[in-house]
Amino acid sequence: MRVLAASVTGAAHRRLGRDCQDAWASARTPAGLVLAIADGAGSREHAAKGARTAVAAACAPAESEDDPLLGAFASARRAVLGLASDPAPFACTLTVVVVGAAEVAAGQIGDGIVAVEQGGVEQGGVARSAAVTARGEYANETVFLTSRDAMDALAVERFPASEVTGVALSTDGLRSVILDDPAAGTLYEPFFTDLWAYARRESAASDGLRAFLSEVPDGTGDDKTLVVAVPGATGESRPPDNTDDPV
């Protein structure tokens, strides 16, 4: 399965001299391909470290968990809570997809976006949102991985692997671009159709995603992360060691 991914620092963070607080990671484990993204809470001092810690722990192979997806979230939460006696400065969201042989499982804590392609090219694939989290009472209210009720707020959705022909994960910095109705969380399907078509090209590369993220006007100035995976082609993108692709 081919994985393409990139993160870029948002314009607002660049103006303030801050590094990217998003992070992503991917790993091939005995349970299957694990994809994870995290969005560090912008107002928290060590949010970037929290995000990097969360995705690394989520993608580490779990030895004793019966459910790889739930195990990924439990491992990530333990890792972030273990960073300090007060984990609040490390607050972040977390989105994880596990692509297994029999099942594709998606989960979210926070306000990330997951899209699943069903049907593929030959059948005219359809993009559908997955593991949509419940909206809070207020517009900008978000549950973080460090929140007391984080695991209760975890949204999970599962699909037969035979029905899934592509997946995509994004942090909320792209919300205004990739959602048809940001308030309702409805996907803008043409974006994802084009994204999966690009990922299937022989010439597709993470640099292409990075260029798109750097140029697209997002309207929020927030950091932006995009991860896409399609079957058939092999190859997995690894995060380079720089501030625009943290892990």
Side-chain angles (χ1 to χ4, degrees):
M1 200 164 197
R2 170 179 288 172
V3 179
L4 307 177
S7 293
V8 300
T9 306
H13 284 180
R14 290 198 302 271
R15 286 194 296 269
L16 295 172
R18 294 179 181 172
D19 292 334
C20 184
Q21 294 178 319
D22 281 3
W24 68 269
S26 64
R28 299 183 188 279
T29 73
L33 175 65
V34 182
L35 309 168
I37 61 171
D39 182 356
S43 61
R44 308 297 175 88
E45 183 180 4
H46 302 299
K49 183 174 182 179
R52 292 193 298 269
T53 300
V55 296
C59 289
E63 296 181 358
S64 58
E65 295 287 348
D66 293 332
D67 188 315
L69 181 69
L70 299 184
F73 278 93
S75 295
R77 181 168 160 81
R78 283 195 300 269
V80 176
L81 293 182
L83 291 173
S85 56
D86 177 13
F90 301 89
C92 64
T93 66
L94 181 63
T95 303
V96 180
V97 172
V98 180
V99 182
E103 176 184 82
V104 175
Q108 290 201 74
I109 292 174
D111 52 9
I113 299 157
V114 178
V116 172
E117 182 188 45
Q118 294 181 297
V121 178
E122 294 180 0
Q123 291 79 30
V126 175
R128 59 167 295 182
S129 56
V132 179
T133 54
R135 294 182 61 81
E137 182 179 356
Y138 304 103
N140 293 324
E141 184 179 356
T142 302
V143 176
F144 296 112
L145 188 62
T146 52
S147 301
R148 187 181 301 273
D149 60 344
M151 296 305 287
D152 292 332
L154 171 62
V156 173
E157 193 163 356
R158 303 173 189 274
F159 306 86
S162 60
E163 297 180 1
V164 176
T165 51
V167 297
L169 300 77
S170 173
T171 52
D172 73 332
L174 283 172
R175 180 170 292 268
S176 63
V177 177
I178 68 177
L179 296 182
D180 190 41
D181 182 348
T186 307
L187 298 179
Y188 180 57
E189 284 203 40
F191 171 85
F192 291 98
T193 299
D194 290 346
L195 176 65
W196 286 313
Y198 170 75
R200 292 187 176 97
R201 295 181 190 173
E202 186 176 345
S203 60
S206 292
D207 285 345
L209 291 189
R210 188 175 300 106
F212 164 75
L213 294 177
S214 298
E215 296 172 4
V216 65
D218 54 45
T220 67
D222 198 3
D223 300 331
K224 299 183 286 290
T225 295
L226 187 60
V227 177
V228 57
V230 292
T234 58
E236 183 171 342
S237 178
R238 294 179 60 83
D241 186 17
N242 64 49
T243 57
D244 275 347
D245 282 287
V247 67

